[in-house]
Amino acid sequence: MSVAAVLVGIALIVGGVAAYLGRWRRWAFARPVFSYAVGFGVLYAGIAMAMFGILTLLGDAVPLGVQRVGAVVVLALVAMMLLSLFWFPAFLTPRWFRTERAAQRGARRGASS
């Protein structure tokens, strides 16, 4: 299970990095827009899953303090992923996304005038 969690986490990290770099943009402006989680949230979910898998694999070899800090980080990353289902802070989105979002809003305003 732990190895699978690490592998799935790595796959999600690759997808999330591609979304942040703008290599994977198809999800960003599809209609209907489901959420930021499709692109940006997967990065946080992937990091959380990979960290969880690594901590589980290492088990008691990791000091208790490191386990606790790791658990807090994993929970914070899961919270970020859940937050991305509904809303995502603009400062966490990449420049390409903010630029395209602003251009779309401008185009919609121009069409409705």
Side-chain angles (χ1 to χ4, degrees):
M1 168 62 181
S2 298
V3 174
V6 172
L7 294 175
V8 170
I10 290 170
L12 290 173
I13 290 169
V14 169
V17 168
Y20 266 96
L21 293 177
R23 303 276 186 226
W24 177 42
R25 295 182 183 198
R26 190 177 209 184
W27 62 271
F29 302 103
R31 294 285 174 215
V33 175
F34 293 105
S35 68
Y36 297 101
V38 176
F40 302 138
V42 297
L43 176 64
Y44 299 103
I47 295 169
M49 188 173 277
M51 279 185 66
F52 174 77
I54 291 168
L55 288 170
T56 305
L57 279 172
L58 296 176
D60 291 334
V62 177
L64 184 60
V66 173
Q67 289 178 6
R68 288 182 177 167
V69 169
V72 169
V73 171
V74 166
L75 289 175
L77 289 166
V78 169
M80 281 299 299
M81 187 276 303
L82 291 173
L83 177 67
S84 74
L85 291 171
F86 308 102
W87 173 78
F88 210 62
F91 71 89
L92 289 177
T93 60
R95 183 176 293 148
W96 70 263
F97 184 82
R98 291 189 303 269
T99 303
E100 287 190 27
R101 173 69 47 106
Q104 278 193 343
R105 286 182 181 152
R108 274 191 239 131
R109 285 186 189 135
S112 64
S113 297

